[in-house]
Amino acid sequence: MRAENNGNDLELLASRAISGDQAAFGKLVERTQRVTYPLALRLVGGQAEAEDVLQDAYIRVWQGLSKLRDRGAVLGWICRIVRNVAVDRVRYEQRRPSGGDALIEYIASDDPGPEQAIADAEARCALLDLVDQLKQKHRVVLLLREVDGMSYEEIAAALGCKIGTVESRLHRARKQLADKVKRQMRAQAKESA
Amino acid sequence: MNCRRCKSLLSDYLDARLDAARRTDLEVHVADCGACAEELRMMQKLSAALGAEPAAAAPAGLAARLTRGALGAPTAAELPSFLDRWIPVAWPAAAASAVAATLLLLVLGRTGGVPSLVEEDPVAAVASDDADEDDALVILAMEEE
């Protein structure tokens, strides 16, 4: 996913929405949800929860737009509201089943054959299970980057942090995920021995 | 380049964020270092696996629903305040309590009060009597009004 949010366009929509233009507000929602939906989803975990978070957030956006000082920073402001609403929600429970063996086969495999576990739901579940074990700040950056395809700049805007922070969190997330996979592989090898 | 430096750059390498010189250094190191090559290979596989996951695409119609919900939500000014919500309920209850307390004082004042089960300190008893007298005067004054 690539968010195509031109700051000037958003600023214009924000200005029109502040003056009561509801259609402009609708456009603002439509344009910003390309970033806020993945953000909410990665923060709370489930689609229904993400939609609830966004509904609360956009109510606050509409009611608080007149207080927005820097209209050019409207996306960052909306993302901050989304984050604030999301952190009030209960972290989502891990429902995914474990599929450690399939993941290990996938990681260990060099054959790009049809059997390769990239399409194997079990392996995917196992991988996502390990991703879930990462700290939230690392997990969110990893998912926004790897799964949602957001650029470093977009992630920094969504999370309200510097690009350097995105870099370091992403580095840690990848390193820790790789370490977890290696630990799982070693444990599996021990069990088999 | 040593292994530590190489591993610290793998994430940036995956995202093609290294300049040409550092990219070349890293690739030269990885070509000679099995451990770093293995680390890179694993990161690439994990990245590919996560990249195969469906991206978070907002459900159809979500923006319209969110817009309707936001525009239709009552503003803070439209919402009744805490006092507005509670006074209609609390005021009659408070008034009833006040009437009941006044009646109780009247009854106790005329019957001499509830007998105490505890032996009274004479000094306190005098003070208490004085207080009762004062209360009686207040109540009488109210009756006269």
Side-chain angles (χ1 to χ4, degrees), chain A residues 63 109 124 148 152 174 182, chain B residues 11 15 39 45 53 56 74:
Chain A
Q63 296 181 351
S109 166
R124 288 172 50 209
D148 300 319
Y152 282 44
R174 282 170 167 158
K182 280 190 269 187
Chain B
S11 180
D15 288 329
E39 185 96 359
K45 283 213 161 198
E53 285 295 308

